[in-house]
């Protein structure tokens, strides 16, 4: 898939006098999840998680392929019990994406997942039971040369930290995460990615900012967890993750939604595109309409948005309500239309191409798009 990489977000870390300041994500250590680089200035990668069971490898692989087609780059699957390991090896062998095994409580599952082809593990060391068991996982992952994501979660903090009354929730998450990272590093295991998730946006921001400050070398997996269904979850993730990314924090992301995981991937790309960091799909620029508009612009924009799903090139397409401000407001769009009474003016990069009757605007716009950029079909 073609990707458009545009100007990144503002950098926040202090550089030497006269030197360009470097974003926090450029300072993290690079870890490879399969063939996908995470950290060390790599592009922020998009992750999601299967809702299928690995004991049904056909269903799981089908879902992974669908997510890959939407731009997912790393996929995670749950391994809740020994039965989940049955199809896991087949999933790893056939998956077009690196597969991360998500394991809680039972370190033996993590060890076995390493042996069956996991590209990475995700564990919460706080619920593995003991450091001896965590160390056994570290040793196996080291032998398999795969990274481990230390995934701390506000809902499952280890008991000792959780009971401390002197710490706020972000401080508990940071204390827990930092202790785990130090433990891994003391054992010589450095292929670590870190997450410390909460459902609250302010908690997420405070936690990740502090993690980035205290552990600047550790790549961060960012996301707002248990964020809710499509609309609320999108808002919470885009607020929390968007602010962090804009501040240079975050090396890979998963935007948790109570929805089809395809939506997580779509929203993730929309967020990266909105931040000017990465664009994989076409972007629609459409005005909010006002008293100057003389067409059904909302209906037209929805039809254009739907048909843009059939276009692979990461272009921007503008649908504007009037010729007074339309082309000027959407000068950066690759192609667009500015509507007037009974007709639309097609334009490219703000310059007029030709006028078309109102009833043919969408078809003519797509004739121009497909001539220049083709379609998926
Ligand atoms: Fe109003 Fe025209 Fe601007 Fe749309 S492009 S908001 S119709 S002035």
């Amino acid at each position: 898939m073609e990707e458009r990489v545009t100007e990144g977000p503002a950098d926040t870390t202090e550089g030497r006098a006269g030197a360009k300041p470097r974003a926090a994500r450029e300072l993290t250590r690079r870890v490879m999840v399969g063939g996908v680089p995470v950290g060390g200035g790599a592009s922020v990668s998009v992750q999601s998680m299967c809702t299928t069971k690995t004991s049904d490898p056909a269903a799981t692989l089908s879902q992974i392929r669908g997510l890959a087609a939407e731009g997912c780059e790393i996929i995670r699957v749950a391994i809740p019990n020994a039965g989940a390991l049955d199809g896991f090896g087949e999933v790893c062998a056939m998956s077009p994406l690196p597969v991360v095994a998500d394991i809680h409580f039972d370190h033996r599952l993590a060890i076995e997942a390493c042996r069956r082809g996991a590209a990475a593990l995700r564990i919460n060391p706080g619920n593995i039971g003991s450091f001896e068991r965590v160390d056994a996982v570290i040793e196996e992952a080291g032998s398999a040369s795969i990274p481990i994501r230390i995934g701390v979660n506000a809902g499952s903090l280890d008991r000792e930290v959780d009971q401390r009354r002197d710490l706020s929730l972000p401080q508990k998450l940071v204390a827990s995460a930092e202790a785990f990272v130090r433990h891994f590093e003391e054992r010589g295991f450095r292929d670590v990615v870190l997450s410390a998730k909460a459902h609250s946006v302010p908690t997420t921001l405070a936690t990740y900012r502090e993690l980035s400050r205290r552990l600047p070398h550790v790549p961060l997996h960012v996301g707002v967890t248990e964020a809710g269904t499509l609309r609320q979850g999108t808002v919470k993730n885009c607020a929390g993750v968007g602010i962090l990314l804009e501040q240079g924090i975050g090396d890979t992301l998963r935007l948790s939604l109570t929805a089809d995981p395809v939506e997580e991937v779509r929203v993730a790309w929309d967020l990266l595109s909105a931040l000017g960091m990465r664009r994989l799909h076409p972007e629609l620029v459409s005005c909010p309409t006002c008293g100057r508009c003389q067409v059904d612009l909302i209906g037209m924009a929805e039809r254009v948005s739907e048909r843009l799903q059939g276009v692979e090139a990461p272009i921007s397409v503008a649908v504007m309500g009037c010729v007074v401000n339309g082309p000027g407001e959407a000068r950066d769009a690759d192609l667009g239309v500015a509507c007037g009474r009974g007709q639309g003016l097609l334009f490219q990069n703000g310059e007029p191409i030709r006028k078309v009757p109102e009833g043919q605007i969408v078809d003519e716009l797509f004739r121009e798009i497909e001539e220049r950029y083709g379609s998926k079909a």
Side-chain angles (χ1 to χ4, degrees):
M1 275 185 270
E2 186 187 348
E3 181 189 336
R4 180 178 288 190
V5 180
T6 49
E7 194 177 325
D11 294 326
T12 55
T13 48
E14 297 295 325
R16 283 166 293 148
K20 183 178 179 289
R22 298 177 70 194
R25 77 175 56 87
E26 292 180 38
L27 305 175
T28 55
R29 184 187 292 140
R30 181 164 293 189
V31 165
M32 295 301 294
V33 180
V36 180
V38 174
S43 297
V44 176
S45 48
V46 173
Q47 308 203 18
S48 188
M49 188 164 183
C50 283
T51 53
T52 54
K53 298 185 191 318
T54 51
S55 54
D56 184 347
T60 301
L61 285 165
S62 171
Q63 188 170 52
I64 293 173
R65 289 186 189 109
L67 291 165
E70 292 292 333
C72 184
E73 295 168 304
I74 298 171
I75 189 69
R76 183 159 47 112
V77 297
I79 306 292
N81 50 46
L85 288 165
D86 284 346
F88 180 70
E90 183 181 340
V91 169
C92 293
M94 305 290 289
S95 171
L97 304 178
V99 180
V100 181
D102 185 272
I103 288 144
H104 292 273
F105 309 122
D106 190 342
H107 72 294
R108 293 166 301 183
L109 299 176
I111 289 170
E112 195 54 35
C114 291
R115 294 173 181 165
R116 296 195 188 196
L121 299 177
R122 181 267 162 145
I123 62 169
N124 180 351
N127 69 25
I128 289 292
S130 69
F131 273 122
E132 289 72 33
R133 291 175 179 176
V134 172
D135 291 347
V137 176
I138 290 173
E139 194 172 325
E140 194 66 35
S143 299
S145 299
I146 63 170
I148 298 177
R149 170 157 69 94
I150 298 173
V152 178
N153 194 299
S156 56
L157 277 166
D158 84 292
R159 197 176 300 167
E160 199 178 309
V161 172
D162 200 22
Q163 286 174 345
R164 285 184 59 178
R165 290 168 174 259
D166 59 318
L167 298 181
S168 65
L169 180 54
Q171 288 171 329
K172 289 178 182 177
L173 285 161
V174 170
S176 188
E178 187 173 13
F180 292 141
V181 169
R182 302 286 183 218
H183 180 89
F184 277 57
E185 290 181 344
E186 280 162 13
R187 274 140 194 84
F189 191 90
R190 293 172 164 270
D191 276 352
V192 167
V193 177
L194 180 62
S195 65
K197 294 192 186 175
H199 65 79
S200 148
V201 171
T203 299
T204 300
L205 294 174
T207 301
Y208 276 97
R209 283 172 177 152
E210 186 63 7
L211 285 174
S212 178
R213 199 178 68 77
R214 296 182 71 88
L215 299 167
H217 58 292
V218 178
L220 296 175
H221 167 125
V222 293
V224 177
T225 194
E226 295 132 17
T229 50
L230 186 57
R231 178 169 156 176
Q232 178 188 294
T234 297
V235 171
K236 289 181 74 171
N237 269 294
C238 289
V241 176
I243 289 169
L244 290 171
L245 291 178
E246 198 279 335
Q247 293 179 333
I249 299 170
D251 301 275
T252 184
L253 58 82
R254 189 249 173 138
L255 307 187
S256 305
L257 297 174
T258 310
D260 187 324
V262 161
E263 299 294 346
E264 295 187 349
V265 176
R266 289 177 179 160
V267 172
W269 278 103
D270 285 349
L271 175 59
L272 291 170
S273 175
L275 288 168
M277 295 175 71
R278 299 180 74 187
R279 191 191 297 161
L280 190 62
H281 304 295
E283 181 178 69
L284 176 65
V285 177
S286 58
C287 82
T289 86
C290 70
R292 294 187 186 89
C293 186
Q294 299 181 73
V295 297
D296 170 22
L297 196 83
I298 295 173
M300 190 183 296
E302 283 171 354
R303 289 199 299 283
V304 171
S305 176
E306 198 169 310
R307 285 183 64 172
L308 280 176
Q309 290 179 27
V311 176
E312 193 149 9
I315 54 173
S316 64
V317 176
V319 177
M320 309 298 282
C322 76
V323 290
V324 177
N325 295 327
E329 286 177 2
R331 195 169 284 118
D332 294 337
D334 293 289
L335 277 164
V337 61
C339 301
R341 188 191 294 276
Q343 62 183 13
L345 175 67
L346 299 184
F347 61 86
Q348 181 179 19
N349 302 119
E351 297 299 322
I353 305 174
R354 61 193 162 89
K355 289 179 180 172
V356 295
E358 181 178 345
Q360 298 170 24
I361 287 175
V362 176
D363 285 342
E364 289 299 312
L365 179 61
F366 275 86
R367 184 201 300 267
E368 297 289 338
I369 291 170
E370 285 162 14
E371 257 179 29
R372 287 171 170 78
Y373 304 103
S375 67
K376 282 182 186 170

